[in-house]
Amino acid sequence: SGTMMVELQERVTELENWKDGKGLIIHGAGNTFCSGSDLNVVKEISNSQASINDIKDGMNMCMFMQNTLTRLMRLPLISVALVQGKAFGGGAELTTACDFRLMTPGSEIRFVHKHMGLVPGWGGGARLVRIVGSGAALQLLGGAARLDPERALSLGLSEETLPCSDETRALGEARAWLSQYTEGPATVIRAVKKVVTAGRELPLEAALRTEKDVFGTVWGGPANLQALVRRPKHK
């Protein structure tokens, strides 16, 4: 709903101001990740008879959500979407704004936009191409195909299928999975994410400059100096 879209933007703003964070898990409730736009709201918008907070029409909604999900993707946090139950339409697009996706048994990702006479508008199409490639993205969008955990894993859309579908246990498993990437000082983890984001989004020369600048923020820093004192042997 429009209210939920605004609330999501507010949470993203909070996360942008969270200077000590390293990781983020996005998950649903009631064994549903996200079933996409409220169809009653969409109908009202398409009839131009309703305004949702500051979102006055479909195109504004599109740009509002593109902006929110792009900001989510660019957070200096390593993020994972924990997909339990259905991730349909806009919910499928939301999964692509995370760095990783984990699925539980019986869960499903589906880009159903074609059946609604639409294409993704929240940036999910562009992000999907970068995750699975143009051929697979065309199949998923053109066929509105159902993606169970096995197929999502084979396409590279999902990183792993967790063993348990229980909501609480799955969240614990997702935390344990994410910890392998967030272990260590926040300054270093956030620097890693910034370098990867620059490499993904910027032309090479700009990405190299960003990498140099980020390197300068950690070189000689506490984590770097402590590592030199320990003189770890890499195996």
Side-chain angles (χ1 to χ4, degrees), residues 113-127:
H113 304 76
K114 187 182 81 166
H115 292 326
M116 300 301 299
L118 295 170
V119 296
W122 298 354
R127 291 188 297 268

Side-chain angles (χ1 to χ4, degrees), residues 18-23 74-78 99 181-200 207 209-219 221 223-224:
W18 184 28
K19 302 306 181 185
D20 300 319
K22 297 189 289 183
R74 290 174 177 168
L75 288 170
L77 307 168
I78 299 179
D99 298 312
Y181 302 111
T182 57
E183 182 180 355
T187 52
V188 177
I189 304 305
R190 292 167 70 91
V192 167
K193 176 63 185 287
K194 291 175 182 176
V195 166
V196 171
T197 298
R200 179 184 61 214
R209 288 194 297 271
T210 300
E211 185 170 321
K212 171 183 65 68
D213 293 341
V214 174
F215 175 84
T217 67
V218 292
W219 171 260
N224 179 221

Side-chain angles (χ1 to χ4, degrees), residues 17-233:
N17 293 316
W18 184 28
K19 302 306 181 185
D20 300 319
K22 297 189 289 183
L24 170 67
I25 299 174
I26 296 181
H27 63 101
N31 205 34
T32 298
F33 178 77
C34 178
S35 56
S37 300
D38 184 323
L39 296 185
N40 291 324
V41 171
V42 172
K43 186 182 296 184
E44 290 176 351
I45 293 175
S46 65
N47 289 337
S48 300
Q49 295 174 346
S51 61
I52 308 173
N53 298 322
D54 293 328
I55 308 171
K56 298 185 184 302
D57 57 35
M59 290 303 296
N60 283 342
M61 177 184 69
C62 170
M63 295 308 298
F64 183 91
M65 286 301 292
Q66 270 199 22
N67 175 264
T68 298
L69 295 186
T70 298
R71 288 167 57 193
L72 172 64
M73 181 177 64
R74 290 174 177 168
L75 288 170
L77 307 168
I78 299 179
S79 59
V80 58
L82 171 57
V83 182
Q84 297 168 277
K86 293 177 171 59
F88 282 2
E93 293 192 65
L94 176 56
T95 70
T96 66
C98 294
D99 298 312
F100 301 113
R101 284 145 294 281
L102 300 174
M103 299 181 70
T104 60
S107 61
E108 181 181 344
I109 299 174
R110 191 178 184 191
F111 295 84
V112 296
H113 304 76
K114 187 182 81 166
H115 292 326
M116 300 301 299
L118 295 170
V119 296
W122 298 354
R127 291 188 297 268
L128 183 65
V129 170
R130 284 162 172 75
I131 296 169
V132 302
S134 59
L138 190 58
Q139 292 178 29
L140 299 181
L141 297 179
R146 298 178 183 273
L147 277 171
D148 61 15
E150 183 178 2
R151 188 175 182 199
L153 195 61
S154 68
L155 289 176
L157 184 59
S158 170
E159 272 63 46
E160 189 171 316
T161 303
L162 300 179
C164 183
S165 58
D166 175 76
E167 189 171 341
T168 302
R169 289 179 59 187
L171 183 57
E173 291 166 355
R175 286 196 180 105
W177 185 91
L178 183 58
S179 68
Q180 65 185 307
Y181 302 111
T182 57
E183 182 180 355
T187 52
V188 177
I189 304 305
R190 292 167 70 91
V192 167
K193 176 63 185 287
K194 291 175 182 176
V195 166
V196 171
T197 298
R200 179 184 61 214
E201 298 188 11
L202 299 177
L204 180 59
E205 291 301 322
L208 290 172
R209 288 194 297 271
T210 300
E211 185 170 321
K212 171 183 65 68
D213 293 341
V214 174
F215 175 84
T217 67
V218 292
W219 171 260
N224 179 221
L225 295 177
Q226 290 171 16
L228 292 174
V229 170
R230 293 194 305 270
R231 300 180 64 183
K233 292 183 178 180

